[in-house]
Amino acid sequence: MPALPSELIRQIVEDIVDDVNDPVYFRHLSVVSLTSRLLRHEAQRLLFRDSGELYTASASRGKTILFLDAVLSSSERLALFVNRFSITFDDFFNPTSDETTALIRQLGNALEAMRNLTFLDVVQRTAGLHSLPSILQDTHFKLTSFRWSGYSNGVAEVIDLKTDFLRRQDNIDHLQMLGFVDQSTLKSISADILPRLRSLSAPYPLTEILLPGRDITSLQWSTPLDNPATPYQSSLVLGFPFHPGTLSKELGRIRYLSYDPIDTTVPVGPDIRRIAPHLTRLICLETCRDIIKHVEALSQIPHLEILVLNADGSRSRMPKRRDMTKVATACESLEHIDIEDNHGKLLRFYYDYSSKTHLFDTIDESQWYAWINDHDNPWINDYDSSDEE
């Protein structure tokens, strides 16, 4: 029997196991990989291309160890199949134990072997895990998406390791960064890193450093990890240190903006009334429900099509229909407003300009805007900076 083309084998495997959201997806792939040598390679490629969410808590650590053991011990170099890798170091993880040291070493070895990795997501919820950045030291992959959320470490050799990593990763277009490097370090290397960055999530001070000189079209202002637990004060929003002369041009490139200007304690970004005149190309704004009262500011965003209002811990009241109607009539390009109510229900508000009537629909999570997916959006991928005014 003549050998089947690899493209046909791949299609056969993908047709057999076609729903990645099926709870038994990985089990089915495992079965397929054992049925014949012909299907084994393609089934393993699909099985290991995404690690899924790995955790270090006692109840979940077994899966993490099994995955790392598999990619390191395989004679078939399964590590080369891995494109996406995500791991979370949980709150109750002992950062100084021998077990932790062994896991960090094993993780570093695994990442070194994953030469085709393009997506890396590391979440550190455990303070004191100072050795964690060492997992990046001997890596050879070229990422397009890098997410790091953890506690910063000011030790000089760790800072050097992180800056060297960022200098080597010149293909990243989507970056989420919390606690990876401090402001002074980032400022010193900013001109030498991330030339292709298009989508950025970071605390406001870091975005001030990274926005200039880059064609970033998707932006999220996030809460610093060391955000003090102080009572919210409305005066802090208006007093937020926004410098129009510094960022006005950069904000004019943004098509997607996500932030809660008052977050849970202190502001994470400037008041919408201060930045609206500079958001000349913004298509989608995701923020808190309180924003609905700033009709005049929202009307200054000429291309706003989608307004997404999060419940923000039920701190703000549910917008009234008349408030949303005012915004819809003031914003000529607005297509709909998505709202999360106090019970997590997702609603979509439409306004019919011809009949001057409104409509509410319930939507599911698949229709809900998520900033984290913006870098996969064709509006961003097709964006041409040459058409800037």
Side-chain angles (χ1 to χ4, degrees), residues 3-12 38 41-42 45:
L4 293 175
S6 58
E7 294 82 2
L8 181 57
I9 297 173
R10 178 170 299 182
Q11 190 62 54
I12 291 171
L38 188 65
H41 179 85
E42 282 304 318
R45 182 185 64 83

Side-chain angles (χ1 to χ4, degrees), residues 266-287:
V266 296
V268 299
D271 187 277
I272 189 64
R273 288 167 288 183
R274 303 181 67 193
I275 62 174
H278 307 289
L279 300 173
T280 54
R281 305 196 69 190
L282 191 71
I283 293 173
C284 181
L285 173 63
E286 179 194 26
T287 185

Side-chain angles (χ1 to χ4, degrees), residues 120-157:
L120 177 60
D121 183 5
V122 180
V123 177
Q124 177 194 347
R125 295 175 180 160
T126 308
L129 192 56
H130 302 309
S131 61
L132 185 57
S134 66
I135 65 176
L136 305 174
Q137 186 165 5
D138 298 315
T139 53
H140 305 281
F141 47 69
K142 285 287 189 179
L143 299 177
T144 57
S145 181
F146 179 48
R147 303 175 185 173
W148 183 285
S149 177
Y151 295 88
S152 185
N153 187 338
V155 178
E157 62 185 49

Side-chain angles (χ1 to χ4, degrees), residues 71-134:
V71 299
L72 286 171
S73 62
S74 169
S75 59
E76 300 182 31
R77 304 184 72 189
L78 296 178
L80 297 180
F81 291 141
V82 184
N83 297 132
R84 298 172 63 91
F85 186 83
S86 303
I87 188 166
T88 297
F89 288 82
D90 307 83
D91 291 330
F92 300 105
F93 188 70
N94 185 347
T96 59
S97 68
D98 292 341
E99 189 178 18
T100 299
T101 301
L103 179 59
I104 295 294
R105 186 184 305 114
Q106 186 182 28
L107 179 56
N109 292 337
L111 289 177
E112 182 181 359
M114 296 176 192
R115 293 174 178 262
N116 295 319
L117 198 69
T118 59
F119 174 100
L120 177 60
D121 183 5
V122 180
V123 177
Q124 177 194 347
R125 295 175 180 160
T126 308
L129 192 56
H130 302 309
S131 61
L132 185 57
S134 66

